[in-house]
Amino acid sequence: IHVILNTTSPPSGQSDHVRERHLYTEDKRRGLFLEICPDGVVKGTPIQTENSVLQLRSVRAGETVIQASSSFLYLCANKKGHLWGQRIYTEADCTFKELLLEDGYTLFLSVNHDIPVSLTSKRPPGKHLPPFSRFLPMQNVLHMESGEEKQSEFPMKNKEHLDLDSDDPFGMRLGESVISPAFNLNVPAAR
């Protein structure tokens, strides 16, 4: 018996749930969105673009695959932390541990190399995180009109555009389409 493994797409996850998000990161001077360009270059951009719209898919508990929505390239990292986009999924380079940090940011670590995804090549000595490695998954605020990108009324060029008086300053709310199953339960009143 021969077993054929399909390495061109990630294994289907527990719920095969896909989140479409932009991954926002910042340092003391500027904020950037992770962008996977059609030529495979991964870089940071100060505004949300078509190339920064990403699909985050859980493939196993705590493990995520990140794919560009426009080019379908997978985010990959090597043992030196270099990032690139490639068309064919390989588990060793394109799967990341997704860790939620205490401050609400998310850290993505290469499963194979245990190195954080970062938009900089600078790697501080010791166990310190490199700059631009803590991400906030944010909702897409781009509106597509006749094939062109149009920035919404909520540009994320820097911190001053955040609505800090809102209960959702980063626009991460799931929306009104998410309904808790508990709302539909007929629970008898306590006596």
Side-chain angles (χ1 to χ4, degrees), residues 8-163:
T8 60
S9 62
S12 48
Q14 300 160 350
S15 64
D16 212 22
H17 177 70
V18 177
R19 298 167 285 156
E20 186 173 272
R21 295 287 185 262
H22 294 267
L23 293 179
Y24 176 78
T25 185
E26 64 184 2
D27 69 0
K28 294 176 183 174
R29 296 180 297 159
R30 63 186 171 149
L32 299 170
F33 292 94
L34 188 146
E35 177 177 60
I36 303 174
C37 300
D39 62 358
V41 172
V42 175
K43 61 183 183 172
T45 175
I47 61 171
Q48 292 184 1
T49 67
E50 179 181 316
N51 294 326
S52 71
V53 179
L54 305 172
Q55 295 178 0
L56 283 69
R57 175 179 290 117
S58 296
V59 291
R60 280 181 290 284
E63 294 184 5
T64 301
V65 172
I66 302 169
Q67 186 177 30
S69 291
S70 62
S71 65
F72 302 107
L73 296 177
Y74 293 98
L75 178 67
C76 301
N78 66 15
K79 65 183 176 184
K80 293 184 179 181
H82 173 76
L83 302 176
W84 74 94
Q86 72 182 30
R87 208 160 285 294
I88 297 174
Y89 169 81
T90 56
E91 184 174 2
D93 295 327
C94 309
T95 305
F96 302 93
K97 292 182 229 172
E98 185 173 354
L99 304 172
L100 183 61
L101 303 175
E102 291 178 1
D103 60 4
Y105 283 82
T106 301
L107 186 66
F108 295 95
L109 294 172
S110 168
V111 169
N112 196 39
H113 309 296
D114 208 35
I115 295 175
V117 168
S118 174
L119 291 179
T120 183
S121 58
K122 297 177 185 175
R123 301 287 168 180
K127 296 191 178 198
H128 297 288
L129 289 175
F132 300 110
S133 62
R134 296 167 51 246
F135 293 92
L136 282 173
M138 301 178 73
Q139 288 184 336
N140 184 9
V141 297
L142 290 178
H143 300 289
M144 302 305 284
E145 291 182 1
S146 65
E148 295 180 15
E149 296 176 28
K150 178 184 174 190
Q151 190 72 29
S152 83
E153 298 298 317
F154 188 64
M156 290 299 301
K157 291 185 180 178
N158 53 39
K159 294 178 201 175
E160 65 210 31
H161 290 76
L162 298 176
D163 184 4

